[in-house]
């Protein structure tokens, strides 16, 4: 019947058209190599595990580094997560080479001392020669906690507007309670990765 409809009408019917177009494997999704940094306790491992649909049980802080392939509909993100302990952060820069984007996770409900440390680390990353031209996704995690600071407070405290002017960055609130919002934030990062000439974002 399908061949008949092609021959009689001189064009394929919708059923034939789907059969012709949909044969073969779908085109491969682009892959991007990202580095994920942030202090211990910021929630890096938990967020990435949830994005990979892994069980939240038995999650332990990353002590060195780990690599996860995080699948999205239009891309695969190969995320190298670096441990955030004091004695590991000084080695972060050894793992920056080859990165195409940066995920920085901070605990928006942390102590003032930890928040200042996180600010200093983010400033260092934004100014590092191997990262300074890359898109940044900055996640203000633990927004579900009572002591969480708002995105506007984080933006002001971290001095993102003056420091990151001219750079491509996204600052978004997040928590494990709203993984759809986390996925939306990663989709924005993928957009920046796909369009390297994109205008600097200040969302």
């Amino acid at each position: 019947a399908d061949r008949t409809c092609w021959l009689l009408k001189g064009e394929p019917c919708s059923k034939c058209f789907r059969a012709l177009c949909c044969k073969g494997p779908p085109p491969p999704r682009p892959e991007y190599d990202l580095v994920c940094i942030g202090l211990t306790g910021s929630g890096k491992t938990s967020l990435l595990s949830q994005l990979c649909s892994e069980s939240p049980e038995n999650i332990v802080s990353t002590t060195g580094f780990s690599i996860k392939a995080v699948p999205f509909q239009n891309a695969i993100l190969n995320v190298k997560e670096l441990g955030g302990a004091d004695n590991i952060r000084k080695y972060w820069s050894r793992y920056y080479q080859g990165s195409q984007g940066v995920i920085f996770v901070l605990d928006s409900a942390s102590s003032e001392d930890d928040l200042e440390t996180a600010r200093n680390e983010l400033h260092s990353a934004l100014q590092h020669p191997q990262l300074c031209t890359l898109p940044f996704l900055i996640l203000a995690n633990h927004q579900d906690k009572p002591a969480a600071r708002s995105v506007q407070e984080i933006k002001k405290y971290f001095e993102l507007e003056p420091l990151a002017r001219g750079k491509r960055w996204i600052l978004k609130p997040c928590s494990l309670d709203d993984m759809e919002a986390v996925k939306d934030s990663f989709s924005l990062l993928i957009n920046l990765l796909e369009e390297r000439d994109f205008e600097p974002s200040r969302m």
Side-chain angles (χ1 to χ4, degrees):
D2 290 348
R3 291 188 63 186
T4 302
C5 72
W6 174 285
L7 293 171
L8 290 177
K9 299 178 181 179
E11 60 183 9
C13 67
S14 58
K15 185 176 180 182
C16 300
F17 189 78
R18 285 196 301 271
L20 289 168
C21 285
C22 300
K23 283 184 178 179
R29 287 175 286 179
E31 296 191 25
Y32 299 101
D33 295 327
L34 308 180
V35 62
C36 179
I37 53 180
L39 304 190
T40 295
S42 61
K44 303 185 299 296
T45 306
S46 297
L47 285 172
L48 293 174
S49 296
Q50 289 276 61
L51 286 171
C52 292
S53 301
E54 295 177 358
S55 172
E57 298 176 6
N58 304 321
I59 289 179
V60 295
S61 295
T62 302
T63 54
F65 76 91
S66 67
I67 299 177
K68 291 184 183 296
V70 186
F72 287 87
Q73 186 173 0
N74 57 339
I76 297 174
L77 305 182
N78 298 313
V79 182
K80 185 188 301 176
E81 179 200 347
L82 307 183
D86 293 349
N87 61 335
I88 296 176
R89 293 199 303 271
K90 59 186 177 182
Y91 299 113
W92 276 359
S93 60
R94 297 186 180 185
Y95 298 92
Y96 289 166
Q97 187 171 1
S99 299
Q100 296 169 280
V102 183
I103 304 160
F104 189 95
V105 184
L106 62 96
D107 179 1
S108 56
S110 66
S111 67
E112 291 293 335
D113 287 345
D114 283 347
L115 202 65
E116 182 175 358
T117 302
R119 179 178 67 175
N120 293 337
E121 294 293 354
L122 178 57
H123 286 194
S124 296
L126 283 165
Q127 296 169 335
H128 193 277
Q130 290 179 309
L131 303 182
C132 62
T133 62
L134 304 181
F136 272 70
L137 172 60
I138 305 163
L139 294 174
N141 197 17
H142 298 153
Q143 286 290 311
D144 53 323
K145 294 184 177 180
R149 298 160 181 84
S150 69
V151 166
Q152 291 302 320
E153 289 174 307
I154 295 290
K155 182 188 291 186
K156 183 177 180 181
Y157 182 80
F158 277 64
E159 301 174 307
L160 285 173
E161 288 290 356
L163 182 70
R165 183 172 291 119
K167 301 180 186 295
R168 294 171 297 156
W169 57 273
I170 301 163
L171 171 63
K172 289 291 182 182
C174 76
S175 73
L176 290 176
D177 291 343
D178 190 358
M179 288 305 297
E180 286 305 313
V182 175
K183 292 176 183 177
D184 289 343
S185 298
F186 273 80
S187 294
L188 293 174
L189 176 61
I190 291 171
N191 290 341
L192 291 185
L193 292 166
E194 289 176 338
E195 300 181 19
R196 300 303 296 265
D197 296 329
F198 201 69
E199 288 296 320
S201 292
R202 297 180 179 87
M203 291 181 242

